[in-house]
Amino acid sequence: MAPLFFFIILIFTRVPGHTCVRTFEKIEVHRGGSVIIPCFYDQKYKQHVKYWCKGYHWSTCTIMVHSDSRQSKGDVSITDDPDLLVFTVTMRNLQDKDSGWYWCAVEIGGTKVTDNSASLYLTVTTGKMTDV
């Protein structure tokens, strides 16, 4: 079921007219757990640097990892797959302090050009995990 869900999300997020970077709006993860977040981007950004940052406003968020440098920092890593036009961010051992706003972003370049980005809200819950 999960591969089918990912495929549906992949198709949906590539519909023309959407912004150039896309991801989920909200994600909920149990404390101590891990999450892999897909960030989809347009073909024209295939060779651009991608990054992941945390903060309420994109303009002031703290960059956690870049795709062009050390791709792992602590419990956060980033991997770009230009053939699928998606970069993924993996966050492990999530704690309450990790709840908040995050941004998938693509560097555009230039001093007067704003990077392209999409936000999501991550909630780390303290409840017990149950089998579904």
Side-chain angles (χ1 to χ4, degrees):
M1 180 82 151
L4 177 61
F5 178 73
F6 186 78
F7 180 72
I8 291 169
I9 293 296
L10 184 63
I11 290 172
F12 175 75
T13 57
R14 291 202 181 165
V15 173
H18 284 261
T19 61
C20 296
V21 177
R22 297 154 311 276
T23 191
F24 297 102
E25 292 180 9
K26 298 176 186 177
I27 296 178
E28 189 173 304
V29 182
H30 289 283
R31 185 172 46 191
S34 299
V35 65
I36 298 172
I37 301 160
C39 301
F40 303 97
Y41 55 88
D42 287 351
Q43 176 76 26
K44 63 185 173 184
Y45 298 128
K46 193 171 186 173
Q47 301 304 318
H48 288 239
V49 173
K50 286 76 175 185
Y51 61 94
W52 178 250
C53 64
K54 180 179 182 180
Y56 182 73
H57 292 288
W58 173 81
S59 60
T60 59
C61 69
T62 302
I63 296 174
M64 300 176 77
V65 286
H66 274 96
S67 64
D68 69 334
S69 59
R70 187 173 169 211
Q71 296 178 346
S72 182
K73 185 177 177 186
D75 289 327
V76 181
S77 62
I78 187 171
T79 304
D80 188 17
D81 188 339
D83 293 332
L84 293 177
L85 302 176
V86 62
F87 67 95
T88 56
V89 176
T90 302
M91 298 179 73
R92 295 175 183 82
N93 192 28
L94 289 160
Q95 302 302 314
D96 296 340
K97 66 179 177 60
D98 296 316
S99 290
W101 287 99
Y102 289 86
W103 298 82
C104 296
V106 174
E107 283 186 5
I108 304 302
T111 55
K112 296 186 180 195
V113 180
T114 304
D115 291 347
N116 201 302
S117 62
S119 65
L120 69 88
Y121 193 84
L122 174 72
T123 303
V124 179
T125 63
T126 56
K128 291 183 179 182
M129 292 180 61
T130 58
D131 292 330
V132 178

